[in-house]
Amino acid sequence: MTTVLLLTALLSQEPSIPVFRLHQLSPRFDAMALFLPGGSLPLQPWHGLPDRTRERLWACSCYSMLVQRTSWSAYMVIAPPGYGDSILPGMLELETDCLEQDVSGWCRALALSPYDPSGAVLVMWDVPILSNELLDAPPAIPVRISEWLASGPDTLMLSGQWSNNVILLTGRAMLGQGPAWRGAGSEVILTSSGPVAATVITSSEATPAQIAELTTLSHPWDSVFADTWGLVFSAIDSLVAAGRPISGNGLSVVWLKGSGSGPRLEPWRMLASPPPPSRASFTPAWPGRMPEDYPSFDPPEIEGVVRLDLPFPGFGDDLLAVTAGIVERILSRSLLPLVPGAVSVSVRPGIGRLDVAVIGSGGLPDADSLMTLMRAGLGPTSLCPPEAALVRNAALRASLQAGRELPVPPAADLVLPLATAIED
């Protein structure tokens, strides 16, 4: 009896992390961010994320990453509308006090230090835009401040063995541009004197004299991320400012000049979430209504993305869409560990084929080598039907991406498509 009462008391407690809910940034998706204390990264990224949450993130076609920018760090998720509550408990388990000490050149140059010793805060942008519900934004999120920028307009140039140039410019920021997927973007940096707008450029050849032209450059990733992650990053800029006026006056320049062949200096770090478990252990509930125009994040045709085609002639669109999820799941656990520099794999249904994109952080093998590895990874599965839970979750994932409910095929129906795909 005592054990039951204790368990009931624990379950009824409020979560230790405060949760704030705000209006959706777009009717296409919900978003959440778990801000970590002091703007630091955890020593073990994604440690503590339950397998059930990893399965749910995949089956529900969520997109997640761990991000550190100048003033903050957070675990971030984009999910179909209405799915935030199902993911929330697992995300709260990512809170940790084991944070790494930032000794990067960026941290030292800007004299970054924790501003507030308060713990983690979770923000969800999931309340429908037309809702009349009264919402309270967090009074503050855990951040770190720049003591160097607080001193007023100034210029700083440092040289190091990194291989690229990094430039920060205040007073002419392109606020609202979102993350720097193209190597140039804006952010709000907190100082003891208030929030400051800044443009950051990470081009390998850039100099301060070229800033005017470099800030207008575009990149193929921009069209993929601008109306999704870009909206989330802009919303976080507003939270960093916390209602205080953002300073755009006074020009400060920081130029970290690369003079060696060492690793690139990256002021903003982004770490992908772990893949789903090797086996599907449960099946999340299906929504009552499928989202309209849910983001797909289809990788562009650029260096660092290798595309492959797997033929599936004669199979219907619905079966092909579900098969795409099965193949993506198999390749995530069998292909990625074999490919140096590979970060993720994306599989999309095409016309009579599956479009496979292997995304890397460095040099990837050529398409022929990857095709050989991919067929080898699919081989053991081609004669064995996938488990029923995986098929159902793949159907849910495909339905959310298609915006309509797709039938769950019998597992045996997937054997022939997979066997066809790996034929030479």
Side-chain angles (χ1 to χ4, degrees), residues 173-260:
M174 305 174 295
L175 289 179
Q177 291 295 314
W181 300 106
R182 66 181 183 272
S186 69
E187 65 173 330
V188 172
I189 301 175
L190 194 60
T191 76
S192 57
S193 302
V196 173
T199 295
V200 180
I201 299 169
T202 60
S203 169
S204 60
E205 302 294 335
T207 67
Q210 300 170 296
I211 284 178
E213 58 188 81
L214 288 170
T215 55
T216 63
L217 294 177
S218 62
H219 189 281
W221 276 118
D222 288 351
S223 61
V224 177
F225 289 105
D227 60 352
T228 49
W229 290 114
L231 297 180
V232 181
F233 278 61
S234 295
I236 295 175
D237 280 342
S238 298
L239 295 179
V240 172
R244 292 165 291 193
I246 299 175
S247 173
N249 299 324
L251 175 63
S252 290
V253 177
V254 178
W255 183 15
L256 302 183
K257 184 178 181 182
S259 57

Side-chain angles (χ1 to χ4, degrees), residues 66-115:
L66 172 60
V67 177
Q68 184 182 47
R69 302 194 90 188
T70 302
S71 277
W72 56 267
S73 68
Y75 288 105
M76 306 176 66
V77 177
I78 283 178
Y83 270 84
D85 281 329
S86 66
I87 299 165
L88 177 61
M91 296 300 296
L92 291 175
E93 294 192 33
L94 287 169
E95 182 191 21
T96 178
D97 293 327
C98 299
L99 303 172
E100 71 174 23
Q101 182 179 1
D102 191 348
V103 294
S104 66
W106 188 248
C107 181
R108 295 195 304 270
L110 295 179
L112 299 176
S113 62
Y115 175 65

